[in-house]
């Protein structure tokens, strides 16, 4: 997780897609495959020499150009026409049997400063939202058609239609209009987001809500909340109020955040890390502190040989399992300090004895730790959630194996004994990319961390670059579910929350481009940065 530290013509139209030169480092192959594009469509490079997005032409004799959006759309079928722009008579309407889209309709109407008229027939100048099933279309896919002074955004699910409204909003903000033609769009990766350490640095509810709105416009769909660590426990607790930090989020504030996230089609991924990083939980319970053979306390580590250790962590997991209703949970499992010594069995004899008692004569401390991870996963996985853990919580060999259903959040290869990404991929595991070389924003920049830039992500990183700068083979593409950009509060006072917001804005935009559209970006970094600033 982080270091312990203080145009081709088709039937009279044109199908246009983006492409620009990117270093061979980022793309393991010269032409990255499209894993999830709509069936029956193709992507071709634009023939124009100036690759900057342009406003749709007002001349009906020229073909339109792709919309100016971050991330760029996957496929655009150009047409002749002036496109659509909001006017005095424009409104947003909801198609028949699509009443679930009312929230999406009200939001885009407010943003475009036009009327919301609800479930009535569309007329000239209107934007119509519709739920329509499509062949092999994913739930986050949509089709946006701008024709004859009208716009229709249709998709099989509310999320896809919502993303279509983000495309419309950005295009109007950038160029005043959405170009004439048809957009067919959907993400390359299903998990796309921001990971936020609110344990070591407190962020206000309003600040978190602002990040959600920014994420939604970038078509990001996950917010990871790491709310327990050595330095703080930041959400109110009914089962163990004694562990909660003075500055914390109330459950009502969290519920408001969850509700807004739901409206913006963002899932919250809660994380209570264990068996390491539990200092705040153990502060009022010093008897649970892990101690070595000489009686020395091990920072942040709970003594997993004690039944009371599992009880307090499971109390918390069950409590927040109710608070967070989404499909994801993160159980941490990284940096358990009992396993960084040369001989864990000699240093922590109580753990070694517990391992043998539970798992047999050949079991070691790593087996007890793996069993702990599996047991915590079973607690939050009871509701059939997708449960993930940090990559350094998965150990090779041993008599106890990590649950095969656990997803791997791969963050580093720098930790002692860290395994390369291919180890997990060859085991058939699903992996989420949190590469600390590109995607780690560590406050204060300790341990040789440097604040990542949007340009470096944009120019050198793809979801295949899981560790360091070297991509894994594309044959593992389906196992790489996506990526999150992570903010860690190692030195909490190093930046204000407003400085954090400013520092992560362009990196998040660059990430969104790379997890949404798998082809090489059409814009240079300078052009992309200018567009990101324009549509923000």
């Amino acid at each position: 997780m982080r270091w312990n530290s203080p145009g081709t013509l088709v039937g009279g139209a044109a199908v246009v897609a983006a492409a620009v030169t990117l270093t061979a480092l980022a793309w393991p192959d010269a032409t990255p495959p499209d894993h999830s594009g709509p069936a029956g469509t193709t992507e071709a490079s634009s023939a124009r020499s100036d690759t900057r997005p342009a406003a749709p032409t007002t001349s009906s004799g020229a073909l339109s150009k792709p919309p100016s959006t971050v991330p760029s759309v996957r496929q655009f079928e150009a047409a002749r026409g002036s496109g659509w722009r909001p006017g005095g008579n424009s409104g947003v309407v909801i198609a028949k049997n699509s009443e679930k889209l009312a929230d999406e309709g009200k939001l885009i109407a407010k943003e475009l400063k036009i009327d919301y008229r609800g479930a009535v027939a569309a007329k000239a100048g209107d934007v119509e939202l519709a739920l329509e099933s499509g062949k092999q279309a994913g739930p986050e896919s949509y089709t946006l058609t701008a024709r004859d002074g009208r716009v229709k955004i249709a998709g099989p699910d509310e999320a896809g239609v919502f993303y279509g409204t983000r495309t419309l909003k950005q295009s109007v903000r950038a160029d005043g209009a959405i170009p004439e033609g048809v957009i067919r769009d959907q993400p390359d990766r299903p998990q796309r987001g921001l990971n936020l350490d609110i344990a070591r640095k407190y962020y206000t509810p309003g600040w978190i809500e602002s990040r959600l709105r920014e994420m939604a416009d970038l078509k990001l769909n996950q917010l990871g909340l790491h709310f327990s660590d050595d330095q703080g426990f930041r959400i109110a607790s009914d089962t163990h109020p004694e562990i909660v930090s003075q500055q914390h989020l109330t459950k009502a504030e969290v519920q408001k955040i969850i509700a807004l996230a739901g409206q913006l089609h963002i899932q919250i991924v809660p994380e209570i890390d264990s068996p390491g990083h539990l200092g705040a939980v153990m502060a009022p319970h010093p008897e649970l502190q892990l101690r070595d053979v000489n009686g020395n306390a091990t920072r942040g580590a709970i003594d997993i040989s004690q039944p009371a250790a599992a009880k307090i962590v499971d109390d918390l997991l069950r409590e927040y399992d109710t608070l967070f209703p989404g499909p994801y949970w993160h159980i941490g499992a990284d940096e358990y300090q009992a396993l960084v010594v040369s001989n864990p069995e000699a240093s922590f004899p109580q753990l070694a004895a517990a391992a043998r008692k539970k798992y047999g004569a050949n079991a070691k401390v790593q087996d007890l730790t793996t069993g702990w991870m599996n047991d915590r996963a079973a607690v939050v996985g009871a509701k059939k959630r997708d449960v993930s853990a940090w990559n350094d919580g998965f150990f090779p060999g041993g008599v106890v194996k990590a649950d095969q259903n656990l997803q791997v959040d791969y963050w580093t290869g720098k930790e002692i004994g860290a395994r390369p990404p291919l180890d997990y991929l060859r085991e058939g595991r699903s992996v989420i990319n949190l590469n600390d070389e590109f995607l780690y924003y560590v406050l204060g920049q300790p341990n040789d961390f440097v604040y990542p830039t949007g340009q470096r992500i944009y120019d050198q990183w793809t979801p295949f670059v899981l560790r360091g700068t070297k991509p894994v083979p594309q044959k593992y593409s389906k196992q790489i579910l996506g990526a999150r950009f992570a903010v860690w509060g190692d030195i909490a006072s190093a930046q204000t929350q407003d400085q954090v917001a400013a520092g992560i804005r362009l990196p998040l935009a660059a990430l969104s481009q790379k997890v949404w559209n798998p082809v090489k970006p059409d814009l240079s970094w300078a052009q992309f940065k200018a567009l990101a600033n324009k549509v923000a």
Side-chain angles (χ1 to χ4, degrees), residues 375-397:
D375 290 345
R376 307 296 76 76
V379 171
V380 295
K383 295 181 181 178
K384 306 300 181 184
R385 285 185 169 92
D386 290 333
V387 183
S388 58
W390 298 107
N391 65 284
D392 51 325
F394 294 77
F395 306 103

Side-chain angles (χ1 to χ4, degrees), residues 30-324:
T31 53
D34 176 3
H35 300 285
S36 56
T41 60
T42 60
E43 294 189 354
S45 297
S46 170
R48 65 184 187 272
S49 57
D50 181 359
T51 59
R52 289 172 295 180
T57 177
T58 56
S59 168
S60 60
L63 285 170
S64 57
K65 295 182 180 181
S68 303
T69 61
V70 177
S72 60
V73 300
R74 297 285 294 275
Q75 295 167 346
F76 176 67
E77 182 180 309
R80 291 176 173 84
S82 58
W84 177 92
R85 63 187 67 241
N89 295 322
S90 298
V92 176
V93 302
I94 306 299
K96 185 178 180 181
N97 299 322
S98 303
E99 291 78 10
K100 292 181 179 180
L101 297 172
D103 286 345
E104 289 75 13
K106 292 174 183 177
L107 178 60
I108 189 62
K110 180 180 179 181
E111 292 168 330
L112 296 178
K113 296 181 173 60
I114 59 179
D115 292 337
Y116 173 73
R117 291 200 288 271
V120 298
K123 61 181 182 59
D126 281 352
V127 175
E128 182 181 29
L129 307 184
L131 290 173
E132 295 179 357
S133 60
K135 293 182 179 179
Q136 299 181 350
E140 294 184 300
S141 66
Y142 69 92
T143 300
L144 187 155
T145 304
R147 180 181 296 137
D148 299 330
R150 299 187 187 191
V151 173
K152 182 177 181 180
I153 304 173
D157 191 79
E158 296 161 67
V161 176
F162 176 72
Y163 294 141
T165 68
R166 302 306 86 195
T167 294
L168 177 61
K169 173 188 175 180
Q170 286 196 12
S171 184
V172 170
R173 180 169 289 183
D175 296 324
I178 188 82
E180 196 88 2
V182 180
I183 297 166
R184 295 182 178 89
D185 204 14
Q186 65 179 12
D188 183 53
R189 304 287 154 176
Q191 296 189 31
R192 313 174 302 280
L194 170 67
N195 213 74
L196 185 63
D197 173 10
I198 66 172
R200 283 176 284 188
K201 183 176 180 65
Y202 173 78
Y203 295 90
T204 64
W207 188 93
I208 296 172
E209 291 168 4
S210 292
R211 302 291 76 70
L212 287 171
R213 294 185 181 94
E214 290 181 10
M215 291 169 60
D217 282 353
L218 295 171
K219 302 182 174 78
L220 301 176
N221 66 359
Q222 283 188 343
L223 174 65
L225 285 183
H226 174 88
F227 62 93
S228 170
D229 211 302
D230 295 340
Q231 296 82 355
F233 193 98
R234 300 288 183 183
I235 298 179
S237 173
D238 298 319
T239 60
H240 291 280
E242 73 280 2
I243 71 174
V244 178
S245 301
Q246 184 176 1
Q247 276 191 312
H248 65 271
L249 300 174
T250 68
K251 287 190 174 180
E253 289 169 335
V254 173
Q255 288 167 339
K256 185 180 176 184
I257 289 168
I258 293 170
L260 176 61
Q263 292 169 7
L264 300 174
H265 301 278
I266 295 171
Q267 295 287 350
I268 305 294
V269 186
E271 180 193 356
I272 296 179
D273 201 350
S274 77
H277 294 281
L278 281 172
V281 171
M282 291 187 296
H285 299 282
E287 71 280 2
L288 299 179
Q289 176 81 54
L290 178 65
R291 296 184 179 275
D292 67 14
V293 67
N294 297 315
N296 299 315
T298 304
R299 184 173 183 265
I302 201 166
D303 186 346
I304 59 176
S305 69
Q306 297 189 44
K311 182 180 185 305
I312 192 170
V313 172
D314 288 350
D315 284 348
L316 296 168
L317 290 174
R318 292 188 178 98
E319 177 178 0
Y320 296 104
D321 185 59
T322 301
L323 179 63
F324 292 97

Side-chain angles (χ1 to χ4, degrees), residues 354-379:
R356 292 191 297 270
K357 181 178 180 181
K358 188 169 185 179
Y359 297 113
N362 294 323
K364 297 184 176 181
V365 174
Q366 81 163 47
D367 298 300
L368 189 68
T369 308
T370 300
W372 170 281
M373 180 173 70
N374 289 343
D375 290 345
R376 307 296 76 76
V379 171

